[in-house]
Structure formats: structure tokens, C-alpha cells
Amino acid sequence: MTGAAIRIRPYRPTDVTCLIALFRDTVRRVNRRRYGPRQVRAWAPETIDVAAWSQRLTAHTSFVAARGSRVLGFAELAADGCVDTLYVHARWQAQGIGSRLLAAVEAAARTHRLAQLYAAASLSAEGFFAAHGFRLRRRQIVELRGVGFRNAVMIKPLAPPRRPRPGLTWRTA
Ligand SMILES: CC(C)(COP(=O)(O)OP(=O)(O)OC[C@H]1O[C@@H](n2cnc3c(N)ncnc32)[C@H](O)[C@@H]1OP(=O)(O)O)[C@@H](O)C(=O)NCCC(=O)NCCS
């Protein structure tokens, strides 16, 4: 598989178990640097509801980064502009995959004429979103399975494509 290109493609229902495994592994190896053991256990438990994940991934506009048959990351866009998930495999961090997934999400949002993207960015991802034009709206503590998590609501307005105004003509002096 050496040299195979990394592609961003739409999610397929058969991806779900791979995505759950990647999610669990990334939280346990990457997010653990910014969150404590109780938080990591609550965020990425041993038992994850596959049917619920499958339903959510299908309902969202979901993308997978893959190299051949190997899944390297994934991202989901909800109908209201929420970047609901964005995870890159722990061994493939900082190689531009997150940026490519986010670009696919943003392109889909523009196609759906959404006014903005937003994310509840983890402490691990706040810098990444800031580097991609998201601005901090507020910091918050959310509860998941009885455990509190600090994260940051971040927003990126999506300017509508520029169109010439009807009747506007250039005059030369
Ligand atoms: C956040 C995440 C998806 C980024 O994916 P990635 O593939 O590692 O990111 P990229 O390689 O595309 O990074 C692109 C740019 O963002 C910057 N960046 C990435 N993570 C950053 C961070 N934590 N702080 C500051 N900048 C960061 C990089 O410096 C890079 O800029 P450069 O190209 O100018 O060097 C990945 O780190 C991840 O999976 N994190 C754990 C899961 C997580 O917290 N997801 C978000 C849930 S809300």
C-alpha cells in the first residue's frame, strides 16, 4: 500500500465500526493529553452504541479520510452547521488530514448555503479550529455520562459567494 494517496470520501454505512475504533483510540491517546482519566473513560467508553452512531453518521453529511481500505480520520456536518465530530487517527496527527476533512465539511456547508459553521471544540482542538478561521464565542463546561468537560464554542461565518449586483456597470472616466 506504500504510496497510496489519502482521499476524502463520503461516509459509507460499512465504515461505522472502524470509525468507532478510531474515535476510541484517538480520545485515549490524543485527547488524554488535555483531559483526565475519568473524562477519557466517559468520553470513549468500552461499550459504544453502534446503532446510534450509524444513525447519526447517516443523518449527517459525513466524510472519511482513507488510504486504500485504511481509515485515517472522519468528520461530520450537522444540518445546522455544527461540526459534530472531527477525529484523526493518533498515528496520523499533524499531517494535514484534519484540514482536508474540515475543507470537505466547509465545502458541503457552502453547498447547503449554511451561514456559519460552529463547533464545541475540545481543548485539544481549539488551536486547530482557530487556525482555520473559527473564532471563540464562549467557554463552557458540558456534562457527559456524569462527568464535566471544558470546551469552547467556536464559530466560523461563511460569507455568501460574491455575485455582481444586477444593473451594476463599470464606468470609465
Ligand atoms: C484536531 C485534529 C482533528 C486536527 O487534525 P490534524 O490532522 O492533526 O490537523 P492538521 O495536520 O490538518 O493541522 C492543520 C493546522 O492546524 C494546526 N493545529 C493542529 N492542531 C493544533 C492545535 N491543537 N493547536 C494549534 N494548532 C493546531 C497545525 O499547526 C496545522 O497548521 P500548519 O499546517 O500551519 O502547521 C486532531 O488533532 C485530532 O484528531 N484531535 C483529537 C480529537 C479532537 O479533539 N477532535 C475535535 C473534537 S471537537
Side-chain angles (χ1 to χ4, degrees):
M1 201 185 349
T2 315
I6 298 171
R7 302 193 293 127
I8 307 297
R9 60 161 173 80
Y11 162 78
R12 301 177 194 133
T14 48
D15 293 322
V16 65
T17 49
C18 277
L19 301 198
I20 289 175
L22 186 153
F23 159 79
R24 195 189 276 117
D25 184 65
T26 300
V27 172
R28 290 178 179 182
R29 291 163 66 186
V30 176
N31 296 103
R32 71 184 280 271
R33 295 175 202 142
R34 300 302 303 272
Y35 292 90
R38 274 190 73 222
Q39 291 169 313
V40 169
R41 274 197 299 276
W43 192 347
E46 214 44 63
T47 308
I48 290 181
D49 185 342
V50 180
W53 266 65
S54 184
Q55 204 171 30
R56 194 197 68 228
L57 283 155
T58 303
H60 290 162
T61 305
S62 305
F63 296 97
V64 168
R67 191 177 186 219
S69 59
R70 203 158 156 211
V71 168
L72 308 181
F74 67 98
E76 292 173 61
L77 171 68
D80 66 352
C82 179
V83 184
D84 202 35
T85 60
L86 176 59
Y87 290 86
V88 170
H89 192 289
R91 290 203 349 231
W92 290 83
Q93 295 280 309
Q95 296 184 48
I97 295 172
S99 300
R100 288 181 60 189
L101 284 164
L102 188 59
V105 162
E106 188 171 325
R110 288 183 191 280
T111 302
H112 295 135
R113 297 189 175 280
L114 294 176
Q116 64 176 28
L117 287 175
Y118 72 95
S122 70
L123 299 175
S124 327
E126 198 179 315
F128 169 83
F129 282 107
H132 288 82
F134 284 69
R135 297 286 163 259
L136 178 66
R137 174 58 62 89
R138 66 173 186 279
R139 297 193 183 281
Q140 62 181 9
I141 297 178
V142 294
E143 202 183 295
L144 177 66
R145 299 182 188 96
V147 180
F149 290 78
R150 282 199 299 135
N151 66 24
V153 177
M154 301 186 76
I155 292 184
K156 179 173 185 174
L158 302 176
R162 280 163 149 252
R163 284 200 210 124
R165 278 188 281 147
L168 187 72
T169 51
W170 289 103
R171 280 186 295 150
T172 44

